[in-house]
Amino acid sequence: MDWKEKIDKDRLPRHVAIIMDGNGRWAKQRGKFRTFGHQHGVKSVRETAEAAAEIGIRYLTLYAFSTENWTRPKSEVNALMKLLVRTINKESKTLHENKISLKAIGNLDSLPDITRRELFEAIKETQQYDRMTMILALSYSSRWEIVNAAKTIAQKIEAKEISSADIDQKLFESCLTTNTIPDPELLIRTSGEYRISNFLLWQIAYSELFFSTKYWPDFRKEDLYEAIVDFQKRERRFGKISEQIIK
Ligand code: IPE
Ligand code: IPE
Ligand code: MG
């Protein structure tokens, strides 16, 4: 099936977010260590970024490491952090070639120095590109982000910059790490798990969800395109009734 051809270019989601899951099981199926799966997931990141940029997606957010992932065995966490440095380094070529700017959300202070340095360098080097923004969620969890936003607001009140009456959705959103990024219209999760795992809870209030049974290292361009075609078949009502929706 040529999914790309079926995409209506006028009705693209502006922002696609992906929970990249299943690296460990992919490796296990092949009798390898979990890190083997993480290594092979890099190709899927490259393919997905290229595929999204090719059709004109403006924002692509990838959940790469959650706050909860710090509780994995130390050896896996270390391997993931090392892989991250290598990948950012190697894949900066993909970013330049495709004119993709890099951003990151999450508790970046908790990353090892070298990882953070590489990350900030790649962010700086690509900031001029506006074809697509790729956002890596690193040491990210939505509850962490929401609690942080609440703290920021409390501090503004303490400093008498605002009063509690000023708190509304817009103000709250402006205190989230995603404040410059529109909400994702489409959220994809791979590996046949049907959960959100603490990802963008506020931002996905009205996102369409697409679950793929493929493990992340098997995810390719056509899989992204299939999800977008599926998204385009849906009627997004935002609480209204069907007759109220202008087609
Ligand atoms: C996703 O794959 C990558 C990260 C969470 C870092 P997993 O490592 O969760 O792989 P599975 O889900 O155990 O197969
Ligand atoms: C979610 O995957 C986090 C990332 C993809 C980075 P997990 O594999 O950590 O999620 P759970 O633990 O199965 O919910
Ligand atoms: Mg997993």
Side-chain angles (χ1 to χ4, degrees):
M1 180 87 70
D2 188 352
W3 293 107
K4 192 179 182 184
E5 248 183 26
K6 293 191 179 335
I7 295 175
D8 176 353
K9 288 277 176 70
D10 296 325
R11 292 175 49 242
L12 283 175
R14 236 188 340 165
H15 181 178
V16 176
I18 307 182
I19 302 173
M20 311 184 287
D21 197 19
N23 295 353
R25 280 164 283 168
W26 186 91
K28 203 169 171 193
Q29 249 181 6
R30 288 160 178 77
K32 305 275 190 189
F33 290 118
R34 295 176 55 83
T35 32
F36 184 71
H38 298 315
Q39 284 158 8
H40 280 262
V42 175
K43 180 163 183 200
S44 308
V45 172
R46 190 187 314 130
E47 286 245 343
T48 307
E50 283 174 358
E54 257 172 47
I55 57 165
I57 301 291
R58 302 306 304 271
Y59 300 91
L60 176 71
T61 300
L62 301 174
Y63 202 7
F65 194 85
S66 73
T67 308
E68 289 75 20
N69 288 150
W70 289 114
T71 63
R72 289 190 178 192
K74 211 165 181 253
S75 56
E76 181 168 345
V77 171
N78 288 344
L80 274 166
M81 291 300 143
K82 272 201 194 125
L83 180 66
L84 211 65
V85 175
R86 244 184 299 140
T87 305
I88 296 167
N89 216 309
K90 239 180 96 203
E91 296 302 323
S92 69
K93 193 166 148 255
T94 310
L95 298 176
H96 287 294
E97 277 173 6
N98 292 280
K99 307 230 172 312
I100 299 171
S101 67
L102 185 70
K103 274 196 160 79
I105 55 170
N107 184 8
L108 306 179
D109 288 342
S110 66
L111 298 173
D113 285 349
I114 167 87
T115 311
R116 206 176 38 246
R117 262 206 310 277
E118 285 295 332
L119 183 67
F120 286 171
E121 202 179 300
I123 290 173
K124 206 167 141 221
E125 272 178 11
T126 60
Q127 64 185 359
Q128 73 274 24
Y129 298 134
D130 62 0
R131 184 177 179 209
M132 186 176 90
T133 303
M134 185 166 103
I135 303 121
L136 288 182
L138 286 172
S139 190
Y140 174 89
S141 78
S142 203
R143 288 184 174 180
W144 165 84
E145 178 183 41
I146 289 170
V147 167
N148 260 359
K151 265 191 213 161
T152 305
I153 292 172
Q155 283 159 358
K156 282 182 196 288
I157 293 175
E158 274 172 8
K160 303 213 183 314
E161 286 169 34
I162 58 167
S163 77
S164 62
D166 296 324
I167 302 174
D168 58 10
Q169 292 193 19
K170 208 164 148 248
L171 178 82
F172 199 87
E173 269 167 4
S174 75
C175 298
L176 295 171
T177 56
T178 49
N179 57 12
T180 58
I181 303 158
D183 289 343
E185 291 91 341
L186 173 61
L187 171 70
I188 300 170
R189 182 175 188 141
T190 60
S191 90
E193 303 293 355
Y194 299 88
R195 58 176 170 269
I196 303 300
S197 303
N198 217 346
F199 190 42
L200 302 177
L201 299 178
W202 173 284
Q203 297 86 342
I204 61 165
Y206 267 107
S207 302
E208 297 296 330
L209 310 182
F210 183 89
F211 296 97
S212 164
T213 52
K214 283 203 179 174
Y215 292 143
W216 178 250
D218 287 330
F219 198 83
R220 290 290 173 268
K221 289 187 174 184
E222 281 300 306
D223 298 302
L224 177 74
Y225 295 148
E226 180 184 0
I228 292 172
V229 170
D230 193 87
F231 163 84
Q232 292 185 332
K233 287 188 196 139
R234 308 196 192 171
E235 183 179 67
R236 306 188 71 212
R237 289 191 288 279
F238 300 97
K240 295 190 167 88
I241 65 166
S242 191
E243 286 72 14
Q244 292 174 292
I245 311 294
I246 303 156
K247 302 260 164 38

